[in-house]
Amino acid sequence: MASGIAEREHLYRLIISQLHFDGYEGVAATLHQACAALPGISPSQRLLSAVKSGLEAQGDALGGPPKEKPSQAVAKACLDLQFDSEDQKSSPSPALYESLYATSHKAACTSACFNSTGTLAATGSSDSSIKVLDVGRILTKANKGTEDIHPVVRTFYDNSDTITTLEFHPTQEVLACGSRDCTVKLFDHSKTAAKKAIKTIPEVFPISSVSFHYSGDYLLVSTEHPTLRLYNVSTAQCYVSCNASDQHQGAVTSVCYASDYNVYASTSKDGSVKLWDAVSNRCISTWSSAHGGAEVSSVRFTKNGKYLLTSGKDSNVLLWELSTGRVVNAYKGAIHTSLHTPAIFNHTEDFVMLPEENSLSVVSWDSRTGEMQRRLSSGHNNAMQAIVHSPVMPAFITGSDDFRMRFWFHRSATASI
């Protein structure tokens, strides 16, 4: 009995300290007063950590089967400056890729994405349409040269303005899109006749970026407003940090989960990069003036979660070490001052890639040394707003203001689709 009382008192202390930590001072004070026998309690998030560990071990809160995180084996082909040597490259330079396929929208191609297996890709446009493409069909069409193979397998028309961001659901045949029409829409791409969204989440401001949690149950949303949103995909319930000072001071340009999904990062027009605790939804670190005060355009984590890649309108691409918050590599020499086109890694993280605005070429660097590689002429005749690399093979997509998307591939590579 005495043991049970002691355990409950410890539980109450954890609850009160968590409430203090989350900023609910009034509730914490009331509960502390009701538990008068407890001594002074300092703010802490030990309760949150304990609950998080318990849920990960036991499955979801309703007693369902555990949801597995992405395999840690994916981190084998990834960037690690602590152990890597300069001769460890396992993939070809992006300058050696060739354009295998192109298709056109009726206006600028503004966004693109691959699914996690690299079997599907999607592109979005200023004409408010979305195309879903079968990567296997693209490769077959290129190899056989036949005209009767059509890689575009779905086209969605349910938005009224520019498609700004796309991301496939991690476990279901669902595609999420954000638009300047101030909505996030979910499309079921398993249905051949589907043209409209199966769910719409209305927002107040144009959408700039979305990122799924690995479970697919939650979706991070950034808009042209300083406040980040986290949505429950099933209920469309919105969560924001309880502390207003956590938020950016300008419109958020990009948001991205880390590979372990314990943290996520965001960038903003205010020039800052923020790291967030993915469970409490609280900001844990802010890197102000990350690009010398210039707008920060994009953010990407490495597969091992050790580094963060950002691009800014100062024409610099920077690699940050999360543990120290310091820049460990800078990729310079490409002009990037107007658009929010992202900097990306190739599938093995041997190279960093960024479309250059004035030369209309794709610039790449050795991710370990920062050495610029030979430029790849894009074949586009206007600026590129979109670039995304396949997660599993030497292939990437560019989208341009010339209305076209291009699919690039390194032919000598062997890859299973």
Side-chain angles (χ1 to χ4, degrees), residues 1 22 35 40 50 54 62 65 94 102 120 130 193 196 246 248 253 279 282 326 330 332 354 358 376 383 417:
M1 183 67 175
D22 291 339
C35 304
L62 297 178
L120 293 175
I130 300 168
K196 302 295 184 181
D246 283 349
H248 288 281
T253 55
V279 178
R282 291 288 305 273
R326 67 186 180 93
K332 300 184 177 184
L354 177 75
N358 61 350
L376 173 68
I417 305 298

XYZ file of all heavy atoms in Angstrom, residues 1 22 35 40 50 54 62 65 94 102 120 130 193 196 246 248 253 279 282 326 330 332 354 358 376 383 417:
197
model
N 0.838 -1.204 0.000
C 0.000 0.000 0.000
C 0.869 1.249 0.000
O 0.668 2.187 -0.767
C -0.913 -0.007 1.220
C -1.878 1.173 1.271
S -3.089 1.086 -0.056
C -4.122 2.480 0.385
N 5.291 22.812 -20.089
C 4.491 23.136 -21.273
C 3.812 24.498 -21.173
O 3.087 24.898 -22.088
C 3.443 22.053 -21.518
C 4.061 20.737 -21.967
O 5.201 20.775 -22.452
O 3.416 19.690 -21.829
N -2.398 18.730 -4.184
C -1.459 17.729 -3.657
C -0.515 18.440 -2.695
O 0.699 18.501 -2.914
C -0.685 17.068 -4.788
S -1.713 16.311 -6.057
N 8.304 21.450 -3.461
C 8.448 22.248 -4.672
C 8.876 21.404 -5.857
O 9.699 20.497 -5.727
N 8.704 9.434 -20.816
C 8.273 8.116 -20.356
C 7.078 7.606 -21.161
O 7.022 6.427 -21.549
C 7.908 8.178 -18.871
N 6.929 4.359 -23.672
C 5.928 3.319 -23.445
C 5.087 3.038 -24.672
O 4.819 1.882 -25.014
N -4.492 2.927 -28.221
C -5.720 2.147 -28.130
C -5.429 0.657 -28.048
O -6.337 -0.165 -28.107
C -6.610 2.427 -29.352
C -7.086 3.878 -29.477
C -7.918 4.038 -30.744
C -7.891 4.281 -28.256
N -1.633 -2.900 -32.744
C -0.275 -3.408 -32.964
C 0.711 -2.268 -33.122
O 0.357 -1.189 -33.599
C -0.420 -4.200 -34.278
C -1.590 -3.580 -34.963
C -2.522 -3.161 -33.865
N 25.650 13.552 -60.803
C 24.436 13.986 -61.515
C 24.712 14.534 -62.909
O 23.818 14.526 -63.766
C 23.873 15.072 -60.594
C 24.337 14.682 -59.230
C 25.715 14.119 -59.443
N 9.838 13.453 -70.806
C 9.310 14.773 -70.464
C 7.817 14.791 -70.733
O 7.328 14.143 -71.670
C 10.009 15.864 -71.266
N 6.640 5.406 -57.958
C 5.726 6.427 -58.441
C 6.331 7.806 -58.231
O 7.125 8.017 -57.306
C 4.378 6.361 -57.710
C 3.481 5.142 -57.943
C 2.273 5.219 -57.027
C 3.048 5.036 -59.406
N -2.473 17.939 -61.034
C -1.459 17.028 -60.502
C -1.393 15.801 -61.399
O -2.433 15.230 -61.770
C -1.803 16.579 -59.070
C -1.892 17.780 -58.125
C -0.773 15.566 -58.554
C -2.506 17.438 -56.781
N -10.391 6.134 -61.841
C -11.304 7.180 -62.312
C -11.339 8.399 -61.403
O -12.029 9.375 -61.703
C -12.720 6.610 -62.452
N -11.040 13.824 -57.964
C -11.233 14.745 -56.856
C -10.599 14.201 -55.580
O -10.348 13.008 -55.444
C -12.731 14.990 -56.624
C -13.460 15.535 -57.839
C -12.965 16.911 -58.222
C -13.758 17.492 -59.380
N -13.276 18.830 -59.782
N 7.664 30.180 -29.616
C 8.326 29.126 -30.379
C 8.305 29.399 -31.879
O 9.168 28.925 -32.616
C 7.645 27.773 -30.135
C 8.021 27.148 -28.799
O 8.956 27.657 -28.157
O 7.378 26.156 -28.410
N 8.088 31.066 -35.793
C 8.893 31.960 -36.610
C 8.323 33.379 -36.573
O 7.181 33.598 -36.144
C 8.931 31.460 -38.059
C 9.768 30.238 -38.258
N 11.144 30.269 -38.346
C 9.423 28.929 -38.397
C 11.605 29.049 -38.549
N 10.586 28.214 -38.580
N 8.727 28.562 -44.959
C 8.961 28.159 -46.338
C 9.077 26.652 -46.527
O 8.821 26.141 -47.616
C 10.242 28.816 -46.870
O 11.338 28.495 -45.987
C 10.089 30.329 -46.936
N 7.230 15.236 -30.430
C 6.188 14.755 -29.525
C 5.483 15.918 -28.832
O 4.258 16.023 -28.832
C 6.770 13.781 -28.483
C 5.679 13.326 -27.514
C 7.392 12.581 -29.174
N 7.175 21.403 -29.438
C 7.849 22.596 -28.930
C 9.168 22.803 -29.656
O 9.862 21.848 -30.009
C 8.121 22.452 -27.422
C 6.876 22.474 -26.542
C 6.267 23.858 -26.464
N 7.217 24.853 -26.017
C 7.453 25.134 -24.725
N 6.811 24.491 -23.778
N 8.319 26.082 -24.398
N 26.460 23.711 -35.737
C 27.462 24.443 -36.528
C 27.443 23.977 -37.984
O 27.044 22.838 -38.292
C 28.858 24.261 -35.938
C 29.405 22.852 -36.020
C 30.729 22.703 -35.287
N 31.243 21.334 -35.383
C 32.091 20.930 -36.313
N 32.541 21.773 -37.214
N 32.511 19.677 -36.331
N 29.869 23.941 -46.728
C 29.150 24.954 -47.498
C 29.352 24.661 -48.979
O 30.470 24.383 -49.424
C 29.657 26.354 -47.163
N 28.990 26.246 -52.534
C 28.878 27.584 -53.106
C 29.129 27.572 -54.610
O 29.678 26.627 -55.151
C 29.874 28.528 -52.426
C 29.653 28.655 -50.917
C 30.599 29.683 -50.308
C 30.326 29.849 -48.819
N 31.166 30.908 -48.200
N 21.263 21.364 -56.784
C 20.450 22.582 -56.748
C 20.331 23.147 -58.169
O 21.341 23.307 -58.851
C 21.090 23.628 -55.835
C 20.382 24.986 -55.743
C 19.122 24.864 -54.885
C 21.310 26.045 -55.149
N 20.230 31.383 -63.146
C 20.618 32.142 -64.338
C 21.096 31.268 -65.491
O 20.869 31.587 -66.658
C 21.686 33.190 -63.992
C 22.964 32.567 -63.443
O 22.995 31.378 -63.146
N 24.005 33.367 -63.310
N 25.034 20.174 -65.178
C 24.193 19.419 -66.099
C 23.220 20.379 -66.764
O 22.416 21.036 -66.086
C 23.417 18.339 -65.347
C 22.368 17.576 -66.157
C 23.045 16.697 -67.218
C 21.499 16.708 -65.237
N 13.248 29.028 -65.758
C 13.729 28.655 -64.425
C 13.052 27.392 -63.904
O 11.879 27.127 -64.197
C 13.485 29.810 -63.451
N 12.891 -2.035 -60.002
C 11.733 -1.177 -59.825
C 10.599 -1.962 -59.201
O 10.285 -3.039 -59.651
C 11.268 -0.601 -61.184
C 12.419 0.098 -61.858
C 10.092 0.337 -60.998
C 12.976 1.271 -61.120
